[in-house]
Amino acid sequence: MSERSGIPGEGLVKGLAVTLKTMTSRSTTQQYPDVAPELPPRSRGVIALLAENCTVCMLCARECPDWCIYIDSHKEEVVVAGAARPRQRNVLDKFDIDFSLCMYCGICVEVCPFDALYWSPEFEYAEYDIKDLLHDKDHLGQWMGTVPPPPAHDHNGEPAKEEATAARKAAAPTSSAARPTVVRPEPGPAADGGTP
């Protein structure tokens, strides 16, 4: 049989010491409803929609593991001056996200090629009825006001691909006079005396 500490009730004394120390220290409880919490800059609260950027490519709905994004659209013809025939474009009719199903993975925000979906740090949108957690495109558009601006580019980091391409195009000579000319030798008789 293993022996415990030689002093009877030592564990009780240590426990009381911890209790007394905690009682005399300042409380770290955040007064949440009265004081807004300081959230990290990349907090995931609610998904906001910029409907003007949405081209109804359906990538977000296809990649969503919970199938909580519902999109509906129709096609419109757009007449372009000088074009042989009118072009068609998709017009967004319905864009709903069911936040009672959403697991906030962020895949929809990442796969959107046209920057139509953004993370907003706003998290106070609880409802009494679960049916009210289905947000339509107007409701999702209202969250755009709470989306923080993107962080500034690190001046010591690599430039974006678009910036590098634009800088290369601006630095490249545009006139044919600035381009080096390549002189090609004239074809002549072959070295063995035969015809070329």
Side-chain angles (χ1 to χ4, degrees):
M1 192 172 198
S2 63
E3 281 190 27
R4 292 189 184 178
S5 151
I7 304 169
E10 183 181 2
L12 180 64
V13 173
K14 284 185 179 178
L16 285 173
V18 170
T19 303
L20 289 172
K21 182 180 173 185
T22 307
M23 284 176 56
T24 58
S25 65
R26 186 169 177 85
S27 175
T28 57
T29 304
Q30 294 183 359
Q31 303 299 323
Y32 160 61
D34 301 325
V35 179
E38 291 184 22
L39 298 172
R42 296 179 64 193
S43 296
R44 293 181 176 186
V46 68
I47 297 169
L49 170 70
L50 185 61
E52 295 83 31
N53 288 1
C54 184
T55 60
V56 196
C57 66
M58 304 289 284
L59 274 176
C60 55
R62 276 187 265 146
E63 295 296 325
C64 178
D66 290 332
W67 294 87
C68 65
I69 300 175
Y70 312 105
I71 301 175
D72 196 12
S73 67
H74 70 277
K75 292 191 182 284
E76 257 183 19
E77 286 192 348
V78 179
V79 178
V80 179
R85 59 184 173 90
R87 296 186 181 174
Q88 288 189 349
R89 72 178 181 105
N90 290 327
V91 178
L92 184 65
D93 292 331
K94 173 180 149 182
F95 193 105
D96 296 348
I97 298 179
D98 191 352
F99 285 106
S100 65
L101 297 175
C102 181
M103 65 179 184
Y104 302 92
C105 63
I107 292 174
C108 58
V109 177
E110 291 176 19
V111 300
C112 182
F114 301 103
D115 292 332
L117 296 173
Y118 293 89
W119 277 115
S120 166
E122 196 65 39
F123 61 93
E124 296 175 325
Y125 55 95
E127 299 288 348
Y128 288 108
D129 191 358
I130 196 168
K131 290 183 251 176
D132 294 334
L133 286 173
L134 180 69
H135 293 186
D136 61 354
K137 71 176 184 175
D138 296 329
H139 199 162
L140 294 171
Q142 291 173 358
W143 296 117
M144 279 304 296
T146 62
V147 172
H153 186 69
D154 183 11
H155 62 278
N156 292 327
E158 282 187 24
K161 289 187 296 186
E162 295 85 358
E163 291 175 353
T165 305
R168 265 195 317 249
K169 285 183 180 178
T174 55
S175 65
S176 60
R179 293 184 188 152
T181 56
V182 178
V183 179
R184 297 179 190 211
E186 290 289 326
D192 61 338
T195 58

